[in-house]
Amino acid sequence: MSPHNTPIADTESDLELTERIIAPDGTRVPNPQLDPFVEDVDFQTLRDLHRDMVVLRRIDAEGIALQRQGQLGLWAPCNGQEAAQIGTGRALQRRDFVFPSYRETGVMYSRGAQPGDYVRMWRGEEGAAYDPAELGIAPLQIIIGAQTLHAVGYALGIKHDGADDVAVTYFGDGATSQGDVNEAMVFAASYRAPVVFVCQNNHWAISEPVGLQSQFPLAGRAPGFGIPSLRVDGNDVLACLAAMRWALEHARSGKGPAYLEAVTYRMGPHTTADDPKRYRSDAELEQWRRRDPIARLEAHLRAAGELSQEHLDAVQAQADEMAREMRAACLGMVTRPAMAVFDRVYAEPHSGLERERDEYAAYLATFEEA
């Protein structure tokens, strides 16, 4: 049986069915399939990837803190998924366009997001979280799996224009059960659209374990649509970089879509509105702590004599500075008046809108009276 057709019995066997370059203990392992795609990666590049993951984890921690302090309405943590997001994100070219879900903070970072971009949407301020045209990322998508259809539509436009850009869409394991994702793969395969599907399998679709919705690896579904796939260790940043380079090369060369499943783990809650202690064990959490993506890369660099205290101190300082700037941007945002939600909805006055405006004004007045 191929790895994609092998049932998943437990976490250990699940991980053995993934491609990797750096093992959990930090040792480099040969991988004939992925090694050719990272031949140019030197220790400085690995230190850069390490920096990115540390800064991302600090951004994530600050986002949670801001939400707990009442500055954000919600936050979707990505702790534990740093390698999957930074590795794939750093493989992209500037002209590629990303269609994310709501958890791709690391992909935003890899595309050059500014401190305020991480919090604007979660604070409920005007506009999207960032300028999609500037970063090359569509607005964060809350509807599960909807962004995959948008990505395929964009990819069809790329093909129509004769360009060599690639559309990339990210989604979680839970989204693979949605019709939108499967419909997107049908269209992508039928029209050989230049799109890469990236499934971050973090093992939990809110409170539902991935083993309940799929007895077999999720990467095995793509070949059924005629889409080649790779299943990689999502906590190995080098493997994620290599796999994404493979997928982008495939799509960019006119061969059609490609699919990646990055097997990782969501260490925190689904969102800050969730309590993961209600549905998963401490033992499972501890098992995945031993596969931490940052600690893994640090072990690899340290064993090679390529991880200095100077680097660690500089990276931590950069991470803390990013958090300070992110907090300052958040606290400095000026919320528009509530009634401004009706501005610029229609070019001309509209009786229905005026009625809604009056009703909303009356509703707001009840708070003033209280």
Side-chain angles (χ1 to χ4, degrees):
M1 300 177 72
S2 70
H4 291 164
N5 295 324
T6 303
I8 299 173
D10 51 42
T11 300
E12 293 295 338
S13 63
D14 186 10
L15 285 175
E16 290 307 312
L17 301 177
T18 63
E19 300 289 340
R20 65 167 59 100
I21 298 176
I22 301 177
D25 64 0
T27 57
R28 181 75 179 255
V29 294
N31 190 305
Q33 187 171 15
L34 296 181
D35 283 341
F37 292 94
V38 288
E39 290 178 344
D40 64 318
V41 174
D42 55 15
F43 285 115
Q44 182 56 53
T45 302
L46 289 177
R47 283 191 292 270
D48 291 344
L49 292 170
H50 172 263
R51 175 206 61 211
D52 291 347
M53 292 194 291
V54 172
V55 173
L56 172 57
R57 184 164 292 183
R58 186 67 182 86
I59 290 171
D60 190 60
E62 194 66 22
I64 294 173
L66 286 166
Q67 192 281 328
R68 297 307 190 204
Q69 293 161 9
Q71 296 298 329
L72 303 179
L74 195 70
W75 183 263
C78 61
N79 187 313
Q81 299 181 224
E82 293 88 357
Q85 294 194 15
I86 294 299
T88 58
R90 286 300 184 197
L92 298 172
Q93 296 188 20
R94 176 48 58 184
R95 64 183 186 275
D96 298 329
F97 204 89
V98 177
F99 293 82
S101 68
Y102 44 80
R103 202 184 302 278
E104 275 68 63
T105 311
V107 182
M108 289 173 59
Y109 174 80
S110 72
R111 303 290 278 177
Q114 297 303 301
D117 296 340
Y118 302 109
V119 295
R120 191 170 293 106
M121 188 192 79
W122 300 117
R123 190 176 167 87
E125 301 296 354
E126 181 185 15
Y130 41 77
D131 182 345
E134 181 179 342
L135 294 186
I137 312 180
L140 300 179
Q141 179 59 258
I142 300 297
I143 301 172
I144 306 298
Q147 69 276 13
T148 58
L149 288 169
H150 306 158
V152 173
Y154 189 93
L156 291 174
I158 292 173
K159 185 172 182 179
H160 180 270
D161 291 343
D164 65 349
D165 307 4
V166 176
V168 179
T169 181
Y170 288 81
F171 50 94
D173 46 288
T176 62
S177 294
Q178 292 285 346
D180 286 7
V181 175
N182 294 274
E183 291 160 11
M185 289 198 286
V186 169
F187 268 87
S190 297
Y191 294 98
R192 298 176 69 85
V195 58
V196 174
F197 296 91
V198 183
C199 172
Q200 290 183 86
N201 176 1
N202 66 18
H203 282 78
W204 288 97
I206 306 185
S207 59
E208 180 181 284
V210 67
L212 184 62
Q213 63 178 324
S214 180
Q215 297 297 308
F216 295 85
L218 298 173
R221 297 182 178 182
F225 293 93
I227 302 174
S229 66
L230 269 178
R231 192 168 198 260
V232 299
D233 186 333
N235 285 12
D236 176 358
V237 69
L238 194 56
C240 290
L241 176 68
M244 192 63 168
R245 285 179 171 181
W246 163 80
L248 290 167
E249 180 183 280
H250 179 91
R252 210 182 303 280
S253 62
K255 297 177 182 177
Y259 184 106
L260 298 181
E261 179 192 356
V263 181
T264 181
Y265 193 81
R266 166 170 57 79
M267 298 298 293
H270 177 73
T271 70
T272 46
D274 172 42
D275 179 8
K277 292 183 178 180
R278 299 177 61 183
Y279 55 80
R280 69 183 187 191
S281 68
D282 291 339
E284 179 178 296
L285 200 62
E286 183 57 35
Q287 186 181 41
W288 280 94
R289 280 200 181 96
R290 295 194 294 271
R291 302 187 179 92
D292 183 275
I294 297 177
R296 178 185 305 203
L297 186 53
E298 287 180 354
H300 177 68
L301 290 168
R302 188 172 287 111
E306 294 288 344
L307 187 69
S308 67
Q309 189 59 47
E310 181 182 12
H311 167 79
L312 292 173
D313 292 344
V315 164
Q316 191 58 55
Q318 184 174 343
D320 290 340
E321 179 60 25
M322 172 62 83
R324 281 191 291 270
E325 293 179 3
M326 177 178 162
R327 174 172 289 271
C330 179
L331 300 183
M333 289 179 180
V334 178
T335 302
R336 295 179 70 207
M339 293 302 296
V341 71
F342 296 98
D343 295 348
R344 299 192 300 275
V345 176
Y346 291 97
E348 301 293 335
H350 189 282
S351 59
L353 190 67
E354 290 301 320
R355 183 174 63 254
E356 291 178 5
R357 184 195 297 271
D358 293 341
E359 291 173 353
Y360 189 50
Y363 168 72
L364 293 176
T366 63
F367 292 95
E368 297 173 2
E369 294 168 3

